Amino acid sequence: EAQVTQNPRYLITVTGKKLTVTCSQNMNHEYMSWYRQDPGLGLRQIYYSMNVEVTDKGDVPEGYKVSRKEKRNFPLILESPSPNQTSLYFCASSLSIRPAETQYFGPGTRLLVL
Amino acid sequence: RKEVEQDPGPFNVPEGATVAFNCTYSNSASQSFFWYRQDCRKEPKLLMSVYSSGNEDGRFTAQLNRASQYISLLIRDSKLSDSATYLCVVIDRSGAGSYQLTFGKGTKLSVIP
């Protein structure tokens, strides 16, 4: 089944404790991205990757890192999480970033930083 | 900064009603437009693309007005299952071979029995 998977789905952590949220897609998509969704603010892009070893900042990259060593995986790293990073996170992928391509989203990761 | 604006709602409509949402965008050179649907904090899923000539998929009709820089979504004969948040998405060119997606904040629809 074609899908985007994220792990963990739910995470409670404490300020400053490094964490990684994994994202994997099995559709051989070139383009992958991370979003956070907050009430009243909608979906905001954190980072995106056009292809392996090519990553770039989105609208809200501060406090996050990403890597794209393999085509299928695009982990999101919070080196020192803070409470303002409490949010719902979505990973998404598409075949490419040509304008007509559909974005496929993972199921989301709910993060609470205490 | 490119802006995509939607009326947040909520739109509360009875079953069978026709409801329309608009989404305005700030960049006159925007390339592509989509409507996504998001159920209760689940992941967004593509509802339909929006073509210049307008397009229809069953009870759903999407239109683009480039002169006034807005897209619209019309839902006819609303069903309870249409209750969701509807997100508009605008894609802009951001450099050579690169594009940027901007999501609206969504319009919440509640269809009432």
Side-chain angles (χ1 to χ4, degrees), chain A residues 35-88:
Chain A
Y35 296 86
R36 61 178 289 174
Q37 188 173 36
D38 303 287
L41 297 177
L43 275 162
R44 294 178 293 166
Q45 193 177 55
I46 302 170
Y47 268 94
Y48 64 93
S49 169
M50 304 278 284
N51 212 326
V52 176
E53 301 293 1
V54 181
T55 63
D56 212 342
K57 296 177 181 179
D59 295 320
V60 288
E62 296 78 19
Y64 304 94
K65 287 173 58 177
V66 292
S67 68
R68 187 91 181 273
K69 294 184 171 57
E70 306 165 281
K71 199 170 190 179
R72 63 182 293 128
N73 296 324
F74 190 45
L76 179 70
I77 303 156
L78 284 71
E79 294 272 3
S80 183
S82 62
N84 65 12
Q85 293 177 297
T86 292
S87 188
L88 175 59

Side-chain angles (χ1 to χ4, degrees), chain B residues 43-93:
Chain B
E43 72 272 25
K45 292 183 179 179
L46 178 68
L47 178 65
M48 58 197 304
S49 304
V50 186
Y51 303 123
S52 297
S53 55
N55 49 299
E56 190 173 305
D57 183 2
R59 298 181 293 108
F60 298 83
T61 300
Q63 291 195 309
L64 166 64
N65 185 318
R66 282 199 179 271
S68 301
Q69 293 181 212
Y70 73 87
I71 63 173
S72 63
L73 178 67
L74 180 78
I75 306 175
R76 290 181 298 279
D77 189 23
S78 299
K79 311 290 184 192
L80 295 176
S81 57
D82 294 334
S83 297
T85 296
Y86 291 84
L87 308 172
C88 73
V89 180
V90 176
I91 297 184
D92 300 283
R93 183 181 287 274

Side-chain angles (χ1 to χ4, degrees), chain A residues 82-106:
Chain A
S82 62
N84 65 12
Q85 293 177 297
T86 292
S87 188
L88 175 59
Y89 291 87
F90 289 105
C91 179
S93 74
S94 62
L95 190 59
S96 73
I97 193 50
R98 283 191 298 273
E101 296 294 348
T102 300
Q103 296 292 310
Y104 294 88
F105 285 83

